[in-house]
Amino acid sequence: MKSAALIGNPNTGKTSLFNILTSSYEYVGNWSGVTVEKKVGQLRNKSGFITDLPGIYSLHPLSKDEGVATNYLLTESPSVIVNIVDASQLERNLYLTVQLLEYGKPVIIGLNMIDVAKARGIKVLPEVMASRLRAEVVPLIARTGEGNQQLLMCMDKVGSPSAPAPQEVLLLDYGRTLEEAVKALIPILEKSHSLQGCPASKRWLALQLLEENSVVTQSLTPAELENIASITARCAQQLNKEGIKESVPELIRSVRTSFIQALCNEAVDRSEQKPHNLTEKIDAIVAHPLLGIPIFLLFMFMMFQLTFDWLGNPLSDLLDSFISGPLSQGVSLGLDAVGASSFTRSLVIDGVIAGVGGVLVFLPQIFILFLMISFIEDSGYMARITLLTDRLLEKVGLNGKAIIPFILGFGCNVPAIMASRSIEQPKERTLTMLLVPLMSCSARLPVYALFAGIFFTRYQAFVVLGLYVLGILLALILAKLFSSVLFKDKPSFFVVELPPYRMPQSVTLLRSTWEKGKGFLRKAGTFILGGSVIIWLLTYCGPSGISVSMDESFLAKLGGLFASILAPLGFGTWQSGASLVTGFMAKEIVVSTMNIIYHVSDSGGLQQQISTAFTPLQGLSFMTFVLLYTPCLATVGVLRKETASWRWTLFSIGYSLLLAYFIALIVYQGGLLLGFS
């Protein structure tokens, strides 16, 4: 079966096409590096598999995710490369195309967004492109699926008996001096043991070495690198003698750019081009240097109003009435009918339904939040947020791209940390990963909804928004501190593309929301279910035996170990301590634990118990601690994987615990000093 590689610049519709070609769904966004690692899907016509690689501007990697694409081309051997280009931004997209055509494998160029180009008055001539590039060019509209059948047919022809003559490799003339350097490098590459299995042409590898591609150079031995450095140095000296002031990589880029400009002059008719007026008009308001941030904060407030007051709470109440009413009663009757023991009955009703059901009642609010985040991403607004925040983030040692993992962290910290791969500089990437856990993920939302709904009913959206903003502010302060103390200052750069605004397609929006939300459901069926059973067993058993009173249970003993430590924060009870300890598995389990501890079957009963056990000030202190304290188990795991360091992982756990304690202490003790009880 054939294997294909799908490669293109960010925002060219590459992943949308992947979803159509494979009848599957992968995440779609509007910023560089949304696909942080390769994803493989079977083609719809069952003729082979296609690999979706990260959106990149060139094969010279600037960030960790871009290195994935270059490494794939060094180690894999695709039958065909499908290069997706944006017809409305052709000149910029073709730089990567030239590099792929030099690679030595058949290339099919998907000329996407021809509708966008037409709307802007840009006419692209596919036949001219095909002639100059010596490759198949297929016009596409990935969002609607137009042209995908023709693309599949072209892919099928590669390597088949009916296929035309093999595609010629694009050979640009880089000048006598550079060409001599290429010829001198090829024998070294042919003898290299580390590159023997590399499917790329030796000319392509030589050009990548002259461009100083770090992914290629790290595959070679020190002796080979020494020989290559000698050839490159001689080439640079010769260029200098010839009066060429450009470096070797700059000269290679210059030759390719000249070729692309000449091609676009022939293949693109811009005589009727017009600006994208709608995007410019919207940007004049939402991307305004002064108005942009307030508009973003207003949008966030509206998002929380919708999540809680306007739509989320009524839907959660309906779900709660179903779980605590018909579902619980039906299960109870079923257990009675089969003659279940008191142990089994207590396990199912007090453990599983109380624990899992107590979290599931917040499912509508979580899905609404995910829907709004998906809208921000798919509309093109996310890229504007990175631009607006870049100046602020640069002052604290980050860049604008850090806001993407931060916002994704509102959904789940795990994919947010993985999204940090799109940040070019290692220092900024590590900093971002360490700070992402301060973002309020959806797992904390049930805790906020519970406590804010009890103590701050009229101002629920304001309180929750305040917690989200607090997490961001603390992340900025710590970014400045960490970048000054733990990391040496290094030069930074920020590259972001501003795609045109698009009204997200309803199907894409719903799929994106479901992909985010199903992770929460999966967790409910695994972590939360398992955790609820374990927590119930800890309440059922104690040092003196089984079926003990709650205050004599193992859970009470465990929570009691931390009660005195938590007392200055306002919630020095074993119930609070036990909830926070079990919350390390998953933050949702904080609510599950409270449901089990207080023996309640619905959110109304739990709210009554919480209102008795906490004051409003204590509740605010507890929410603040939950916002900041140690990341959940899954987040710790992905931190270890992405940083490749236990030192940074343990540092993240340690600083977040200290920060949570310090800020909660200020909230509670400061509130007491101000006269709040």
Side-chain angles (χ1 to χ4, degrees), residues 217-228:
T217 56
Q218 70 187 11
S219 304
L220 301 171
T221 64
E224 291 168 342
L225 289 173
E226 188 176 343
N227 290 336
I228 290 166

Side-chain angles (χ1 to χ4, degrees), residues 29 31 46 91 96 117-118 127 173 176 186 225 251 343 354 419 425 452 458 466 481 487 582:
W31 64 87
K46 311 296 183 184
E91 187 169 329
L96 175 62
K118 184 179 179 180
E127 62 278 4
D173 184 0
R176 182 179 58 83
I186 287 176
L225 289 173
L251 182 57
F343 174 86
Q425 296 290 57
R458 293 181 59 185
L481 176 64
F487 297 92
T582 56

Side-chain angles (χ1 to χ4, degrees), residues 42-225:
Q42 187 176 25
L43 290 169
R44 179 179 292 184
N45 60 5
K46 311 296 183 184
S47 63
F49 293 87
I50 187 166
T51 300
D52 180 24
L53 293 167
I56 57 175
Y57 292 102
S58 83
L59 295 178
H60 193 291
L62 295 176
S63 61
K64 190 175 180 180
D65 64 307
E66 289 184 350
V68 172
T70 307
N71 190 62
Y72 173 88
L73 294 175
L74 287 174
T75 57
E76 304 289 338
S77 183
S79 306
V80 59
I81 295 173
V82 181
N83 173 219
I84 305 303
V85 299
D86 180 356
S88 65
Q89 303 281 350
L90 194 58
E91 187 169 329
R92 186 201 62 215
N93 282 222
L94 285 178
Y95 190 85
L96 175 62
T97 305
V98 170
Q99 290 181 309
L100 295 174
L101 289 167
E102 292 176 327
Y103 176 71
K105 289 283 185 177
V107 176
I108 299 173
I109 299 170
L111 187 63
N112 193 27
M113 300 188 187
I114 54 175
D115 55 333
V116 176
K118 184 179 179 180
R120 295 186 186 180
I122 301 171
K123 184 179 180 182
V124 182
L125 306 175
E127 62 278 4
V128 175
M129 285 182 60
S131 174
R132 289 296 306 274
L133 297 174
R134 303 168 189 170
E136 290 271 5
V137 178
V138 182
L140 298 169
I141 303 178
R143 284 165 62 85
T144 63
E146 184 177 329
N148 66 300
Q149 287 299 326
Q150 185 183 352
L151 180 61
L152 282 171
M153 289 172 60
C154 288
M155 293 167 66
D156 283 342
K157 288 179 183 178
V158 176
S160 65
S162 60
Q167 177 182 316
E168 298 179 47
V169 176
L170 182 67
L171 297 174
L172 298 184
D173 184 0
Y174 290 98
R176 182 179 58 83
T177 303
L178 268 178
E179 291 294 343
E180 287 178 357
V182 169
K183 289 178 182 178
L185 288 172
I186 287 176
I188 299 174
L189 296 170
E190 288 176 338
K191 295 176 183 177
S192 174
H193 292 288
S194 54
L195 292 174
Q196 279 187 350
C198 178
S201 72
K202 295 301 183 286
R203 177 180 172 82
W204 180 85
L205 286 170
L207 287 168
Q208 294 302 308
L209 289 172
L210 290 172
E211 284 189 274
E212 301 173 359
N213 190 321
S214 58
V215 178
V216 180
T217 56
Q218 70 187 11
S219 304
L220 301 171
T221 64
E224 291 168 342
L225 289 173

Side-chain angles (χ1 to χ4, degrees), residues 296-445:
F296 172 58
L297 291 175
L298 178 62
F299 184 87
M300 294 289 289
F301 174 70
M302 299 292 285
M303 180 172 74
F304 288 120
Q305 281 287 106
L306 186 67
T307 301
F308 294 103
D309 294 346
W310 297 341
L311 187 58
N313 279 349
L315 292 176
S316 288
D317 291 341
L318 288 174
L319 185 57
D320 180 42
S321 62
F322 168 75
I323 292 174
S324 61
L327 180 62
S328 295
Q329 293 169 9
V331 171
S332 180
L333 291 173
L335 292 171
D336 291 340
V338 299
S341 65
S342 58
F343 174 86
T344 303
R345 182 183 179 86
S346 181
L347 170 63
V348 174
I349 301 297
D350 300 332
V352 175
I353 294 181
V356 179
V359 173
L360 288 180
V361 297
F362 301 103
L363 197 61
Q365 294 163 326
I366 289 169
F367 267 90
I368 291 170
L369 181 65
F370 283 147
L371 179 67
M372 298 303 293
I373 292 175
S374 297
F375 181 85
I376 294 174
E377 295 163 358
D378 207 40
S379 65
Y381 184 43
M382 181 74 84
R384 274 74 184 177
I385 297 172
T386 68
L387 188 66
L388 286 168
T389 56
D390 178 56
R391 183 174 298 178
L392 171 63
L393 293 176
E394 186 181 8
K395 291 180 180 179
V396 298
L398 298 170
N399 73 35
K401 284 187 180 179
I403 200 67
I404 296 170
F406 286 173
I407 292 177
L408 291 181
F410 295 161
C412 179
N413 289 166
V414 171
I417 289 172
M418 294 176 68
S420 301
R421 295 179 187 176
S422 65
I423 298 172
E424 293 84 0
Q425 296 290 57
K427 164 207 164 184
E428 294 168 350
R429 184 165 60 245
T430 303
L431 255 179
T432 303
M433 287 190 286
L434 292 175
L435 298 171
V436 160
L438 298 181
M439 301 302 109
S440 285
C441 63
S442 61
R444 297 172 171 99
L445 204 58

